[in-house]
Amino acid sequence: MNLRLVFLIPLVLGPFIVFGADLDELRFQISEKNKQIAELEKEISEFQQEIEKTSEEADSLKNQINAFTATISKLSREISVAQRKIETAELSLEELGIQIAGKASSIDQFKDSLAEIIRNMDELESQSLVEIMLAHASLSNFFSDVDYIENLSSEMEIRLAELKSAKSELESEKNKKEELRAQLRDLQSEFNARKSIEENARRQKNDLLKITQNKEAEYQELLKDREAQREAVLNEIQEIEDELRKLIDPESLPEAREGVLAWPIKGAVLTQSYGVTPYSEILYNGKPHNGIDIRAQIGTPVYAAEDGIVMKIGDTDAFPRCLSYGKWVLIKHPNNLATLYAHLSLIKVNNNDIIKRGELMGYSGDTGYATGPHLHFTVYDANTVEFRPSSLPKSTCKLLPFGGYLNPMAYL
C-alpha cells in the first residue's frame, strides 16, 4: 500500500476548472449590463438638465408640455435602468449558484479524502510494528513510511482546518445569495413603481392637452382657476391649523435636537424653509409655511423619518378641483410627533401599516398643487392631528390632514 497516494486527490481547483468557462461568460454579461446602465444613467442626467432648464422658463403650455415630455423620457430610461439591474442581479445569482456548487463539490472531495485517510490509519493501527516491518523489502522503505505515519496526524489536522474553511466560505456565499435575492425583490418592486409613475406622467400630459386643447389661452385660464382654488383651500388649512397649534403640549414632545427624525430624502436639499420666508410671502399670501420643501425630482425614493404607524394615506387629486397635497402619507411616531409627506407620485404603504425609520414609503412627485416636483414635509404634534373634509362652499375635498405644526428643523 502506498499511503502517499491518499493526498493526490484534487481537493479545491477541480470543480472550478469545469465551471470556469460558464463563470467567465456570466461575468462578461454582467460587465456588459453595467455598461448599459452607465449609458442610460448618462441619458437620465441629460434629461434632468432639460427638465431643470424648462422649470426656470416662463409658465406656458409649451414649456409645461416640454417638461412632461422630458420627464416621461427620463422615467422611461429609469425603467430601463431598473430592468438592467434586475437582469444583472439574476446573472449574479446564477454566478453565485455555480460558485456554491463548486464549493459544495470541493467539500465532498475533502470528506472523501479524509475518510480514506481515516481508513488507512485504522488499517495501520490493526498491525503490529513487526508486521509492518516484515511487509517492507528494506529497512529504508520501512523507516520512510514510519516517518510518514508520524506526520499523518498533523496532515489530517490541516485537512480538517481546510474543510472547516471551505464550509465557512460556502455559508458566506449562501448568505450572499439570500441578500442578492432580497435585492432582486427590491429591484422588481422599484421597476413596477417606475412603470406606474411613468404611466401617471403620460396621463397627466394627455389630460392637460385634452383640457386646454393645446391652446395657450386655455392653459393660462386653467392656471388662474387652479390658483383661486388652491388659495381657498390653503386659507382654510391655515385657519384650522392656527387653532390646532394652540393645543400643542410642549411637555409631551421630544427635546429638540438633531437626529430625532431622519431626513426623508437622501442628500436632501431645501428649496423652501419653515415659517415666514420670501417664498411664503408670495405662495402663501404672507402666511407661514407649515413645513419644509425638499428638492426631489419625480420618482425620488421617500423614506420614513422614524418608526411609527401609518395613520392615514390620501390623494386630494381624487377629488376634482381639490388642489392641495396631492398624494400624501401621515405617520404617527412613538415620540408623539407625526410627519406628513406630500405631493408624492406613488404611495407604497397602507393605512395602519407599521413602518421602520428609513423604510421606503413612497416616491416624490408633483401631485396636488405644486409649482414643481418636490417633497413637502411637515412635523405635527401627533395629539393634535385631525382628518376632516373641507368646509368650504362647493368644495370637493373630502379628506385633508390638519394638525398643530412644528418646525421640522428642530428635529432633523
Side-chain angles (χ1 to χ4, degrees):
M1 179 194 312
N2 191 340
L3 299 176
R4 293 170 180 76
L5 291 177
V6 172
F7 298 103
L8 295 180
I9 300 173
L11 297 176
V12 179
L13 298 177
F16 295 105
I17 293 171
V18 175
F19 298 124
D22 292 336
L23 285 173
D24 287 344
E25 174 60 25
L26 284 171
R27 287 164 181 164
F28 173 77
Q29 290 182 41
I30 291 170
S31 174
E32 289 300 303
K33 295 291 181 187
N34 285 329
K35 288 178 183 177
Q36 293 171 18
I37 289 170
E39 285 299 317
L40 286 166
E41 288 177 338
K42 182 180 178 182
E43 292 180 23
I44 288 170
S45 177
E46 291 171 355
F47 281 119
Q48 181 58 45
Q49 291 174 12
E50 184 178 339
I51 293 167
E52 291 174 359
K53 181 181 177 182
T54 304
S55 68
E56 294 171 357
E57 297 174 353
D59 197 350
S60 66
L61 178 60
K62 179 182 177 181
N63 287 341
Q64 186 61 52
I65 296 301
N66 287 342
F68 271 127
T69 301
T71 297
I72 290 167
S73 297
K74 175 175 173 281
L75 288 168
S76 177
R77 300 308 189 280
E78 288 174 344
I79 289 170
S80 296
V81 166
Q83 181 62 47
R84 297 299 185 282
K85 286 183 177 179
I86 288 171
E87 293 167 357
T88 300
E90 288 172 341
L91 289 170
S92 296
L93 274 173
E94 190 176 346
E95 178 188 12
L96 266 175
I98 290 175
Q99 291 174 332
I100 287 170
K103 190 68 68 177
S105 178
S106 294
I107 288 172
D108 288 340
Q109 290 187 25
F110 272 119
K111 289 178 179 178
D112 291 342
S113 179
L114 284 170
E116 182 65 21
I117 293 172
I118 292 169
R119 281 195 296 270
N120 288 332
M121 289 181 69
D122 286 343
E123 289 178 13
L124 288 171
E125 287 175 358
S126 67
Q127 293 178 304
S128 68
L129 192 60
V130 174
E131 288 175 323
I132 296 173
M133 184 181 296
L134 293 174
H136 288 77
S138 67
L139 282 174
S140 61
N141 288 341
F142 165 73
F143 284 115
S144 177
D145 276 346
V146 167
D147 291 338
Y148 187 76
I149 292 167
E150 289 176 353
N151 292 325
L152 200 55
S153 179
S154 61
E155 290 288 342
M156 185 173 175
E157 288 178 3
I158 292 170
R159 295 305 166 90
L160 280 170
E162 291 172 344
L163 177 59
K164 289 179 181 178
S165 175
K167 283 186 174 181
S168 175
E169 290 174 8
L170 178 61
E171 287 304 314
S172 175
E173 288 176 355
K174 285 182 177 179
N175 289 337
K176 286 180 185 177
K177 191 172 183 179
E178 288 306 312
E179 291 171 4
L180 200 51
R181 279 179 176 156
Q183 181 184 345
L184 180 57
R185 287 193 293 270
D186 290 343
L187 287 170
Q188 288 169 335
S189 176
E190 181 182 348
F191 174 76
N192 293 332
R194 298 283 174 199
K195 286 189 69 175
S196 178
I197 294 168
E198 186 205 30
E199 289 167 5
N200 288 336
R202 290 183 185 277
R203 193 178 301 114
Q204 283 182 281
K205 178 182 176 181
N206 291 336
D207 288 347
L208 180 61
L209 288 171
K210 184 178 179 180
I211 293 170
T212 62
Q213 298 179 350
N214 205 19
K215 295 179 181 178
E216 182 64 31
E218 278 75 0
Y219 177 68
Q220 293 300 328
E221 191 64 32
L222 176 66
L223 287 182
K224 290 179 183 178
D225 183 50
R226 285 169 58 86
E227 176 57 30
Q229 296 170 45
R230 182 198 73 92
E231 186 171 336
V233 174
L234 182 65
N235 286 337
E236 181 182 30
I237 291 174
Q238 187 67 54
E239 289 175 8
I240 293 173
E241 293 196 335
D242 281 347
E243 292 301 312
L244 292 174
R245 292 197 78 200
K246 297 175 183 177
L247 303 178
I248 293 174
D249 178 12
E251 296 298 321
S252 69
L253 301 176
E255 180 184 354
R257 60 179 174 80
E258 182 180 349
V260 171
L261 299 174
W263 286 90
I265 284 181
K266 294 178 180 177
V269 175
L270 291 187
T271 56
Q272 186 178 179
S273 301
Y274 167 85
V276 177
T277 70
Y279 288 105
S280 71
E281 293 286 343
I282 300 170
L283 297 173
Y284 302 97
N285 298 322
K287 295 176 181 178
H289 187 214
N290 72 346
I292 58 174
D293 290 343
I294 302 172
R295 180 181 298 163
Q297 292 305 314
I298 293 174
T300 302
V302 179
Y303 305 97
E306 182 54 278
D307 295 351
I309 183 170
V310 178
M311 291 183 73
K312 194 77 73 177
I313 65 173
D315 182 5
T316 61
D317 289 348
F319 313 117
R321 300 172 64 82
C322 179
L323 295 173
S324 183
Y325 290 126
K327 289 183 173 67
W328 56 268
V329 173
L330 198 143
I331 301 174
K332 181 179 180 180
H333 308 292
N335 57 13
N336 285 328
L337 296 177
T339 50
L340 174 70
Y341 312 77
H343 305 305
L344 303 173
S345 60
L346 186 68
I347 296 172
K348 296 291 289 181
V349 293
N350 296 301
N351 290 334
N352 300 317
D353 278 358
I354 302 298
I355 194 164
K356 293 293 183 182
R357 180 183 178 115
E359 184 177 345
L360 178 71
M361 43 73 62
Y363 293 86
S364 65
D366 60 353
T367 56
Y369 189 95
T371 56
H374 70 280
L375 175 71
H376 174 83
F377 181 72
T378 296
V379 177
Y380 295 120
D381 177 337
N383 295 319
T384 68
V385 171
E386 296 181 359
F387 305 99
R388 61 169 93 164
S390 170
S391 59
L392 294 173
K394 298 182 180 180
S395 174
T396 62
C397 298
K398 296 182 180 179
L399 180 67
L400 288 170
F402 302 93
Y405 57 87
L406 307 162
N407 185 352
M409 300 307 294
Y411 299 106
L412 288 168

